[in-house]
Amino acid sequence: MAMYGQKHSFEIKGGDFVYDGEPVRIISGEMHYPRIPHQYWRHRMQMLKAMGLNAVATYVFWNAHEPEPGKWDFTGDKNLAGYIKTAGEEGLMVILRPGPYVCAEWEFGGYPWWLQNIEGMELRRDNEQFLRFTQLYINRLYQEVGNLQVTKGGPIIMVQAENEFGSYVSQRKDIPLEEHRAYNAKIVQQLKNAGFEVPTFTSDGSWLFEGGTTPGALPTANGESNIENLKKVVNEYHGGQGPYMVAEFYPGWLAHWVEPHPQVSATSIARQTEKYLQNDVSINYYMAHGGTNFGFTSGANYDKKHDIQPDLTSYDYNAPVTEAGWVTPKFDSIRNIVKKYVNYTVPEAAAKIPVIEISSIKLTKAADMLEAAREQKPVESDKPVTFEKLNQGYGYVLYSRHFNQPVNGKLEIEGLRDYALVYVNGEKVGELNRYFNNYSMDINIPFNSNLEIFVENMGRINYGSEIVRNTKGIISPVKINGNIIEGEWEMYRIPMDKAPDLEKIKKSNVHNLTTAIPEKLLMGKPAVYSGTFNLTETGDTFIDMESWGKGIVFINGINIGRYWKIGPQQTLYIPGVWLRKGQNEIVIFEQQNDKVHSEVKTVKVPVLNKLNDGQ
């Protein structure tokens, strides 16, 4: 393969992918830049090379780059150009998948949450407002990476238009097929208008090509293991010839909370890899290395049984390279097969990043989050309002209402999105949970009392027709005994976009855990814990949260993601580059807090497949 830094040609011609006039087979691995600390990008690229791959594919996450309208961020772990340049330096071609919809088990499938606030906006269709914003996004993306196309001396060889659109078409039969097709063609055109000149492609299940393919873009078939069928459908939609590519070949699978972590055998993946390579099929392993849904980036699936299926913080995916960048038997199996079919040298795997264990991290302070939330000025309304109307994308909102008269009976919150703890006068009285379709409970509110509903956004739906109904918080009336509770609602915003600072919380609400464990004051309340720990050496590690309830963890100010004792994930990955020699800070926000904690530890091996009973 020619060197990165010089201009080259890449085209689809005569049924082949052609690089500088020579046919080339793509053996790619999917790997997403914001799911990996940028300090580790090169290490993970080297792991892909050691698996025998010659390309890396990545989605582009619109919501990561435009957190607010017109405010762009391409820094740090979001430095897409840096990621692509690193791939080029490591001798990998790059396949760019900018969506604008990506799915990816990522919050809202990559859409910015604030799109839902725009008047007249209809997502993922031939809608003037929507297409105005997608063109702005694609233009801004081109500014960032357009000069990294292979034709301009960079490593980008292809760009995907939309993503699994045929699947969406099959679910949105309320929209005419002609309109779907018009929208899909406009996304291809927007990429070209912006300046992308490398070949475009679409990616769908082979049975969904009618809705998902679009003229001028190569159709690729996700998950298609039958070679004859792959060639048949591509020929039908691509002028009777290839090239033939499986743009998503799944060596593992995605995982949800409350469900076992899927496992895919190394033998089956090695066998299928060989089948593809014997038949000159290009492939992209989805995922080659999954990484982590840090912060509030994990999305959710939807089904009628559960209403929502939130994705884990870990995006290990049972992939050939683990969440922390380790070799697996699956990695070795793929590498051994690929080496038989390529004419380039496959290097050895990069050295494993050091792993450390911290036997005890003492937590020295804690505060009641209900009390801390009440210190701010609330938003007042006659009825509860959504996160979006509060101009808040992620985190938590405390909904509060005072009752002058006693009331008891059935509390119903049909529009709960997604998880709530319910308090009367500061005492926990119940838990509601969209996953379990648990939207009601008995309640007894005495004379002159406060009802408080502490609501968590567990990640917006990222796949399917429900993606267009993705507001969070309380999105419909709160009822008691069938009566709508209106008037004098107060909303306290708790976005958790930064680690809570106990120095800024009222001193009477901050408890010293080194002198006494204030169980009566904190038990059952959502609580913030903090502590410090000193290290003489740094390395990757996994914080063990199995004895906790539900919440998030900040390490040196970085939100490393959600935990939930129910599993199957019981540990959270802490990249060593986020730790430092000397003093480190930890902040844990624990929602359930059924017991008061005074310490936490880390372990050297992650626990990703242990389900615990109970809701």
Side-chain angles (χ1 to χ4, degrees), residues 434-609:
R434 188 179 175 192
Y435 178 87
F436 295 110
N437 283 291
N438 180 10
Y439 295 111
S440 65
M441 58 176 276
D442 291 332
I443 197 151
N444 181 12
I445 303 171
F447 170 77
N448 195 27
S449 294
N450 287 324
L451 168 68
E452 291 176 306
I453 306 160
F454 194 93
V455 177
E456 175 192 6
N457 162 9
M458 289 181 70
R460 288 180 183 81
I461 290 165
N462 56 252
Y463 177 79
S465 58
E466 286 296 309
I467 199 165
V468 298
R469 287 180 282 275
N470 243 333
T471 53
K472 291 296 183 178
I474 296 178
I475 70 166
S476 73
V478 173
K479 298 176 185 174
I480 298 179
N481 291 333
N483 299 314
I484 294 174
I485 307 301
E486 288 185 320
E488 298 180 342
W489 280 95
E490 295 181 330
M491 273 72 62
Y492 298 88
R493 291 180 280 214
I494 311 161
M496 292 282 181
D497 50 346
K498 297 189 179 92
D501 184 350
L502 294 186
E503 297 297 319
K504 293 181 178 170
I505 292 173
K506 196 164 59 181
K507 284 196 166 43
S508 59
N509 182 26
V510 178
H511 307 283
N512 185 342
L513 300 179
T514 59
T515 53
I517 305 296
E519 292 195 354
K520 285 185 179 172
L521 293 169
L522 287 175
M523 190 97 89
K525 311 280 178 68
V528 178
Y529 292 86
S530 74
T532 59
F533 56 100
N534 286 293
L535 294 176
T536 54
E537 58 169 354
T538 61
D540 289 354
T541 191
F542 304 88
I543 190 164
D544 178 2
M545 301 307 293
E546 189 175 354
S547 66
W548 292 65
K550 192 176 198 303
I552 54 176
V553 179
F554 294 87
I555 298 289
N556 292 326
I558 300 169
N559 182 346
I560 62 167
R562 301 177 174 99
Y563 64 87
W564 191 6
K565 67 181 175 189
I566 213 158
Q569 177 175 1
Q570 302 293 348
T571 58
L572 294 176
Y573 173 50
I574 305 175
V577 289
W578 293 349
L579 296 170
R580 47 193 179 228
K581 287 184 181 176
Q583 187 167 284
N584 294 264
E585 296 168 5
I586 183 169
V587 174
I588 301 173
F589 173 54
E590 163 59 44
Q591 293 158 253
Q592 296 174 340
N593 211 36
D594 292 329
K595 62 180 176 183
V596 177
H597 299 265
S598 57
E599 66 177 337
V600 68
K601 65 176 182 177
T602 80
V603 291
K604 285 187 171 181
V605 179
V607 179
L608 297 179
N609 206 358

Side-chain angles (χ1 to χ4, degrees), residues 402-408 424-425 444-450:
H402 184 75
F403 287 78
N404 290 320
Q405 298 299 323
V407 60
N408 60 70
V424 173
N425 294 332
N444 181 12
I445 303 171
F447 170 77
N448 195 27
S449 294
N450 287 324

Side-chain angles (χ1 to χ4, degrees), residues 150-443:
V150 69
T151 49
K152 298 175 189 291
I156 299 171
I157 54 166
M158 287 200 296
V159 175
Q160 183 180 317
E162 242 287 344
N163 184 47
E164 295 185 329
F165 190 59
S167 166
Y168 190 69
V169 170
S170 73
Q171 296 179 35
R172 291 298 307 271
K173 296 232 170 24
D174 55 314
I175 300 169
L177 184 58
E178 295 70 33
E179 190 196 320
H180 281 308
R181 286 190 169 141
Y183 161 71
N184 210 5
K186 284 177 182 175
I187 294 298
V188 173
Q189 194 56 49
Q190 287 190 346
L191 290 164
K192 293 189 189 321
N193 291 348
F196 287 104
E197 58 191 16
V198 293
T200 52
F201 69 100
T202 58
S203 135
D204 274 292
S206 58
W207 65 100
L208 298 165
F209 274 21
E210 185 189 7
T213 57
T214 193
L218 172 74
T220 67
N222 289 354
E224 181 56 72
S225 56
N226 183 319
I227 307 291
E228 280 179 31
N229 194 50
L230 170 69
K231 292 187 174 179
K232 176 173 162 285
V233 291
V234 172
N235 288 346
E236 186 182 340
Y237 287 89
H238 196 244
Q241 62 179 10
Y244 308 106
M245 182 167 186
V246 175
E248 292 190 7
F249 168 31
Y250 307 109
W253 196 244
L254 60 99
H256 301 126
W257 293 106
V258 207
E259 298 167 20
H261 200 303
Q263 306 292 302
V264 178
S265 84
T267 309
S268 67
I269 296 307
R271 196 177 293 130
Q272 187 62 41
T273 295
E274 185 142 42
K275 209 162 127 184
Y276 289 139
L277 299 184
Q278 282 170 342
N279 288 279
D280 203 28
V281 173
S282 288
I283 52 178
N284 175 46
Y285 293 96
Y286 188 103
M287 300 291 296
H289 165 58
T292 312
N293 296 317
F294 296 115
F296 295 125
T297 60
S298 58
N301 281 304
Y302 172 86
D303 75 3
K304 285 180 179 163
K305 182 181 174 190
H306 294 298
D307 203 14
I308 195 169
Q309 295 169 289
D311 297 309
L312 299 187
T313 298
S314 170
Y315 200 58
D316 179 85
Y317 213 85
N318 192 223
V321 179
T322 71
E323 179 178 17
W326 304 349
V327 165
T328 63
K330 200 174 287 180
F331 175 97
D332 292 330
S333 300
I334 291 169
R335 173 185 159 88
N336 290 337
I337 296 293
V338 170
K339 279 170 78 174
K340 290 161 55 178
Y341 291 89
V342 298
N343 59 3
Y344 46 80
T345 304
V346 176
E348 293 299 316
K352 184 175 172 179
I353 287 162
V355 181
I356 63 169
E357 187 171 311
I358 310 166
S359 59
S360 176
I361 297 170
K362 300 296 181 196
L363 303 169
T364 53
K365 292 178 185 171
D368 172 357
M369 198 63 210
L370 291 180
E371 247 190 76
R374 295 185 205 113
E375 288 179 32
Q376 60 175 297
K377 190 175 189 297
V379 175
E380 296 177 354
S381 173
D382 278 345
K383 58 184 181 181
V385 298
T386 64
F387 278 46
E388 289 75 13
K389 287 287 180 275
L390 293 168
N391 204 33
Q392 179 179 320
Y394 314 110
Y396 313 83
V397 169
L398 176 64
Y399 294 83
S400 179
R401 192 182 185 280
H402 184 75
F403 287 78
N404 290 320
Q405 298 299 323
V407 60
N408 60 70
K410 181 167 275 194
L411 170 69
E412 292 177 280
I413 313 176
E414 286 174 15
L416 172 66
R417 302 291 183 269
D418 300 300
Y419 174 88
L421 293 162
V422 182
Y423 302 85
V424 173
N425 294 332
E427 295 298 314
K428 184 159 72 175
V429 294
E431 178 181 315
L432 302 175
N433 189 331
R434 188 179 175 192
Y435 178 87
F436 295 110
N437 283 291
N438 180 10
Y439 295 111
S440 65
M441 58 176 276
D442 291 332
I443 197 151

Side-chain angles (χ1 to χ4, degrees), residues 138-157:
I138 289 168
N139 289 350
R140 183 64 184 81
L141 173 64
Y142 184 82
Q143 272 182 48
E144 222 36 54
V145 302
N147 65 342
L148 294 172
Q149 294 178 91
V150 69
T151 49
K152 298 175 189 291
I156 299 171
I157 54 166

Side-chain angles (χ1 to χ4, degrees), residues 26-30 48 53-57 91-95 157 284:
I26 298 166
I27 310 174
S28 172
E30 187 91 12
L48 264 56
L53 310 188
N54 61 10
V56 59
L92 291 166
M93 298 179 285
V94 173
I95 298 168
I157 54 166
N284 175 46

